Amino acid sequence: MTERKPPGVDFETFVDRQIREAAARGDFEGLPGYGKPLASLDAPYDELWWVKGKLHREGFAVLPPALALRKEAEDALVKALAARSERQVRAILTEVNEKIRAALRRPPPGPPLNLTEFDVEAVLRTWRERGDRAAGRAGTGAGPA
């Protein structure tokens, strides 16, 4: 691509020739996505497509801090109820409660937080009840007749 377009040659012809020669040399075969359809071909045009792609690849959250904490609290509750031990439940809830406590002391920018700390003992009661029901279901029909 370092050569210049010769005078009198149509620009489109010049570019097409360079692409054809590069394809013949195999310059395009090692590229990521070679032979695969374009992922965003049917999507509507978005001027910030590259910014959103970069944020997604880098793992940045696009939610305001208050909404991100709400989502994290929801995920923590689900994770706590699916935990295998009481120690894990307490660890998960303690970690998210510290973040909630900090956000309540100094509210983050954005929409209202609308969160309170989790009652660890109440969640543990729910966790134990779910465990008892699961053990009861596993115990029914299992074992010698």
Side-chain angles (χ1 to χ4, degrees):
M1 290 293 287
T2 58
E3 72 180 89
R4 298 178 66 90
K5 180 182 87 62
V9 176
D10 185 27
F11 184 76
E12 188 173 338
T13 306
F14 176 70
V15 171
D16 288 338
R17 182 176 53 86
Q18 286 188 320
I19 292 172
R20 188 176 16 61
E21 289 172 359
R25 287 191 308 267
D27 291 349
F28 299 130
E29 292 177 10
L31 298 175
Y34 176 75
K36 298 177 186 168
L38 297 174
S40 60
L41 193 59
D42 296 330
Y45 179 71
D46 183 8
E47 290 181 1
L48 299 176
W49 64 270
W50 65 275
V51 174
K52 292 176 182 176
K54 177 72 171 173
L55 289 174
H56 179 72
R57 285 191 305 277
E58 296 293 326
F60 286 109
V62 292
L63 289 175
L67 295 180
L69 184 56
R70 280 194 226 168
K71 176 69 174 139
E72 186 176 348
E74 285 178 22
D75 293 345
L77 181 59
V78 169
K79 190 176 174 183
L81 292 175
R84 295 189 176 267
S85 70
E86 188 172 315
R87 178 183 287 176
Q88 286 178 336
V89 174
R90 287 183 188 279
I92 292 166
L93 294 179
T94 301
E95 180 182 342
V96 78
N97 275 347
E98 288 173 7
K99 292 179 181 181
I100 292 171
R101 215 174 294 123
L104 289 173
R105 278 193 305 268
R106 182 175 240 175
L113 192 58
N114 293 336
L115 271 180
T116 57
E117 294 180 46
F118 287 105
D119 181 355
V120 176
E121 296 306 319
V123 174
L124 277 169
R125 278 193 297 277
T126 304
W127 177 79
R128 287 183 193 116
E129 289 171 3
R130 286 184 174 197
D132 290 343
R133 284 189 300 230
R137 282 194 306 266
T140 58

